[in-house]
Amino acid sequence: MDGLDAHWRRLIGVVAFLMAAAFILPVLVRAPNLQENRELSPPPPWPRHLSEAPAFRDGVEAAVADRFPARRFLIPFLNAARLPLGVSGSGRVIVGRDGWLFYDNGSHLGAARGSEALSPAQTRAWLQGLAGRTEALGAVPYLVLTPPVKETVFPRFAPGWMGPPAPDRPALRLARLAQETGAGTVLYPHDAVAAQGPRAYSRHDTHWTGYGAYGGYETLMRALQSRGVGQGPRPRSAFVEAPIAYGAQQADLANMEGVKGFVRLDNPQLIDPRVQGRVAITYLGADHSWMGPRVIETGEVGKPTLMLTVDSFSNALLPLLYGDFSRLIVAHNQDGPWRPDLIAAYHPDAVVLEVLETGLASSLVPGPPASPQARDRIDQVLGPAPALRPVGAEAAALDPAPPASCGLDVAELTPTSVGGPGWRLRAAGWISDLGPGPGLVAGRIRLTGPGGDWVGDLAVTQDRPDVAAFFHKPQVAVSGYEQTVSTGPLAAGAYAVRLYRRTPGGWVSCKGRDLTLGGRAP
């Protein structure tokens, strides 16, 4: 019995020591960085009824687990042990080969595999958006620069199940269609980035390094030079490597795993030492971070002014541009990838949208409308816009639909001769029931007027962070749409446009506006 009692005393002592250490360790030792890319579970509200007790218990368990003091130590050490085995401890990180990490946006590298293809309606709206911006600037070049995700540049380091990058993935397809339709210019510097070698991307970060950014810089400057802006790219020898200090090192994927302190980081930046020291930045608002809108004066006299709307890949790109421009006007895409206010204020010699290929699909709407001629060119390549159909039996489901919260930013009828004489209806805006969950994709667009009542399909797939911010409801961010449909010849008169969206509770509707035709289509 004495031996058994001693065993239990030792066991209790060990458990007590471990519990005490779990609370004392975070006070004595700095925890490794851990960026989980999610909100920790909040404490649940007290139950009001006995039936809510199980949910309250589960909520307490999740909240306590997320706040266990030793958690920030246990997760990094466990993840560091699992990485050599190819196992990720984060739902946002995929472990590839040779220790390379890749970001998972939920599609499991869908941009590289081609699984995130745009629908015909999305493709048409995207090209119309590009054409509208290009036409609005007239003689000022408008270029879209889209950095490739690193799994397309280094598929040999990606997990084996990914396979080779899809040859018709959205970035390649949109760049090709932009050229074929004359809608505008999309620069996808995949090959130029790959030519920079394996240091073009950090194995522990989503972003390109200074070397990868040089491939983007080279592609952009050649395109601008061909349009009469700038002198073309300077050689890579004009730049020197400037390793980013440890504390400023991004290493976002290693941070998500909590293993930044366990791996060798290599994320060099390239700078022009001749210019870097005299750069002056003036912020245009309260945000003085890299995401804040700003004017960068480089001290280079007599050189062009370039305006860019950007994402985080710009951090390595911008230092390469300082020596080629007198002034850079920079704004983040989250504030709007089309900034006519800044264009009007600073009169740039060229305007560039820089956006990673995973964000390309949602970056060209809304914007100025494309001309009927540009839409005809797009329709000639893609085929006529989908035709409206008689509402018929669908009216029984749509007519009683209750009103939704919505905005109709654009509604217009323009003539077309593609596929035969008729009219083209374009509508853009947002629609939501503001419910607790995300709405469904399925929608309808309806046109009612002299001699007919027609309906067509509407895909509600566009991200509208402005709507989510206004209502303080992140779940309604995906509420935007842009759709173009075709009709036959229409009689003169007033036509009503109405939008619908399917929700878990049924259809909801949005009263649009009346459009008036003074005559028939040609």
Side-chain angles (χ1 to χ4, degrees), residues 413-415 422-423 450 487-495 515-522:
L413 280 164
T414 55
W423 292 84
T487 76
L490 297 174
Y495 288 82
L515 303 175
T516 302
L517 290 183
R520 298 176 182 272

Side-chain angles (χ1 to χ4, degrees), residues 396-423:
L398 299 179
D399 285 340
S405 295
C406 64
L408 184 59
D409 303 329
V410 176
E412 58 182 1
L413 280 164
T414 55
T416 179
S417 59
V418 178
W423 292 84

